């Protein structure tokens, strides 16, 4: 396999540019130099990457994959690493292409199967439908990317028993409760409130009904679960599940901070419940579902992210990422 030196160097520079050392260095430089470095950084972030893989075996249709957009630095490192693609059938070339109107996608290559895989929710919305893909429809993205929209959806669909209670009014709130900003990712900004006094303090800066947050039933548990899926029409084609033990004193699991992570079989009934949430949306593509179990053993879904999950991008989980990519490519369909 061939990973060009240029690609490796570009990924390293992008990663370094977001690190603490780079920020400390910028602070020591004159403003004109900082401005020049900022422009150079933006140019690096929007530079397409190319990974060339070995030819497909005889009789196998070669596949050219376009990764559209860039969600996080570690995602870029995983998806532009030839090792990620070594067990993905048919791959001959991978292009990591920015979601940038100034850099339109190249036309589909001749003589190969072209598959496009967008990364973030915005990338999905902007993704050109000129290649084979397995991408959620716009309604599904808008429902799942916004916590208030998701809460309204489960209520309207009669699926509220699968999620924590979302309080519609201040009078309904029971403690402890959890406040979540509707567009936040990885649980950043979420907080647990335990009294009227704490809620009043929060509402003094963010008034009820602002549309910026929701207030939900808090279901504290030392273990939470994430199931990663690839779906078509809301049916799960492939999945893997992890249990996460929280750090001591960690009330809310944020990002990939945890005490332990274990690949497990999904809890009883979890996949059936997840499909119940996805079927009305006719969901296509990858997604990840964060949830816990109630004392009665019932699934309680916190959120469904209509994209890859960060857990798959950890080096230890490369095999699961490869299975995800293989399933997407195998089930991608033409525009």
């Amino acid at each position: 396999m061939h990973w060009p030196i240029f690609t490796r160097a570009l990924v390293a520079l992008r990663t370094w540019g977001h690190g603490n050392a780079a920020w400390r260095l910028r602070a020591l430089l004159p403003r004109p130099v900082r401005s020049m470095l900022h422009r150079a950084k933006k140019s690096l972030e929007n530079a397409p990457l190319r990974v060339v893989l070995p030819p497909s075996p005889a009789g196998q249709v070669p596949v050219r994959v376009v990764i559209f957009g860039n969600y996080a630095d570690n995602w870029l490192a995983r998806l532009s690493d030839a090792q990620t693609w070594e067990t993905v059938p048919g791959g001959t070339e991978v292009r990591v292409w920015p979601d940038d109107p100034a850099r339109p996608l190249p036309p589909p290559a001749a003589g190969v199967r072209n598959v496009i895989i967008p990364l973030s929710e915005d990338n999905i919305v902007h993704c050109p439908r000129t290649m084979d893909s397995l991408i959620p429809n716009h309604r599904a993205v808008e429902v799942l990317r916004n916590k208030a929209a998701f809460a309204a959806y489960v209520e309207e669909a009669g699926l509220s028993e699968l999620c924590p209670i979302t309080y519609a009014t201040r009078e309904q709130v029971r403690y402890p409760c959890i406040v979540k900003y509707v567009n936040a990712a990885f649980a950043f900004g979420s907080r647990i409130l335990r009294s009227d006094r704490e809620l009043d303090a929060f509402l003094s800066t963010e008034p009820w009904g602002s549309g910026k947050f929701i207030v939900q039933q808090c279901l504290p548990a030392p273990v939470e679960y994430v199931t990663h899926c690839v779906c078509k029409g809301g049916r799960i084609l492939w999945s893997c599940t992890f249990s996460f033990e929280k750090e001591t004193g960690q009330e809310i699991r944020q990002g990939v901070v945890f005490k332990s992570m274990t690949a497990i079989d999904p809890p009883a009934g979890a996949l059936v419940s997840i499909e119940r949430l996805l079927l009305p949306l006719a969901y296509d593509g990858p997604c990840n579902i964060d949830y816990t179990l109630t004392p009665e053993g019932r699934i309680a879904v916190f959120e469904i992210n209509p994209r890859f999950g960060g857990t798959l991008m950890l080096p230890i989980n490369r095999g699961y990422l490869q299975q995800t990519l293989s399933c997407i490519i195998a089930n991608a369909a033409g525009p």
Side-chain angles (χ1 to χ4, degrees):
M1 294 181 180
H2 176 59
W3 187 11
I5 294 175
F6 171 77
T7 297
R8 185 185 297 117
L10 197 53
V11 171
L13 281 171
R14 287 183 183 183
T15 303
W16 182 83
H18 288 280
N20 291 332
W23 287 106
R24 286 196 294 269
L25 177 60
R26 286 191 195 98
L28 301 175
L29 297 173
R31 184 180 295 273
V33 177
R34 292 203 304 270
S35 297
M36 181 185 68
L37 288 175
H38 178 73
R39 290 192 297 270
K41 172 176 168 288
K42 296 299 291 184
S43 179
L44 282 175
E45 289 177 345
N46 289 328
L49 302 176
R50 181 169 180 256
V51 182
V52 179
L53 306 173
S56 299
Q60 191 173 81
V61 178
V63 179
R64 175 187 186 234
V65 178
V66 175
I67 302 295
F68 183 65
N70 180 22
Y71 192 76
D73 291 332
N74 64 316
W75 291 32
L76 178 68
R78 294 285 81 71
L79 294 169
S80 60
D81 184 347
Q83 287 186 318
T84 296
W85 301 91
E86 63 186 0
T87 65
V88 178
T92 57
E93 180 188 7
V94 177
R95 292 207 173 189
V96 180
W97 204 269
D99 182 356
D100 181 0
R103 293 183 186 269
L105 279 173
V112 301
R113 183 168 172 245
N114 295 271
V115 177
I116 189 166
I117 303 176
L119 296 184
S120 74
E121 290 89 339
D122 285 339
N123 300 150
I124 293 167
V125 171
H126 299 155
C127 185
R129 306 301 173 104
T130 56
M131 307 177 192
D132 288 357
S133 63
L134 191 63
I135 301 174
N137 59 68
H138 285 190
R139 175 177 177 251
V141 174
E142 294 309 314
V143 165
L144 299 179
R145 75 188 303 185
N146 181 289
K147 293 175 177 59
F150 180 58
Y153 161 73
V154 298
E155 177 71 24
E156 292 166 7
L159 299 169
S160 297
E161 77 274 10
L162 301 178
C163 301
I165 298 169
T166 298
Y167 300 116
T169 66
R170 165 68 189 271
E171 291 69 31
Q172 292 178 355
V173 173
R174 297 294 178 268
Y175 300 105
C177 65
I178 185 166
V179 174
K180 302 177 181 178
Y181 285 97
V182 297
N183 293 315
F186 303 110
F188 294 129
S190 297
R191 66 187 75 177
I192 294 176
L193 306 179
R194 292 181 169 80
S195 66
D196 284 334
R197 180 178 179 182
E198 291 183 7
L199 181 57
D200 288 338
F202 175 80
L203 295 177
S204 68
T205 58
E206 297 282 7
W208 192 283
S210 66
K212 295 180 181 179
F213 65 91
I214 60 172
V215 182
Q216 283 188 328
Q217 172 190 23
C218 181
L219 296 172
V223 176
E224 293 182 3
Y225 304 88
V226 175
T227 294
H228 301 267
C229 300
V230 177
C231 303
K232 194 163 190 174
R235 295 291 184 190
I236 297 173
L237 303 174
W238 172 90
S239 71
C240 68
T241 299
F242 298 91
S243 66
F244 292 90
E245 184 183 4
K246 295 177 186 175
E247 293 277 11
T248 302
Q250 183 183 24
E251 295 182 311
I252 302 171
R253 187 177 65 85
Q254 294 180 324
V256 291
V257 178
F258 47 82
K259 183 177 181 180
S260 68
M261 173 183 65
T262 307
I264 62 168
D265 291 332
L271 297 186
V272 172
S273 296
I274 289 168
E275 281 196 345
R276 288 180 61 197
L277 291 163
L278 295 174
L279 277 168
L281 297 171
Y283 189 87
D284 290 342
C287 62
N288 61 96
I289 301 91
D290 295 327
Y291 58 97
T292 191
L293 298 178
T294 67
E296 300 77 29
R298 175 179 57 83
I299 188 173
V301 173
F302 301 135
E303 61 185 12
I304 301 177
N305 297 299
R307 52 169 171 76
F308 290 101
T311 311
L312 292 180
M313 301 298 168
L314 297 174
I316 192 173
N317 290 330
R318 185 171 66 195
Y320 293 109
L321 176 59
Q322 291 169 331
Q323 293 174 38
T324 306
L325 294 167
S326 297
C327 188
I328 291 172
I329 292 169
N331 289 279

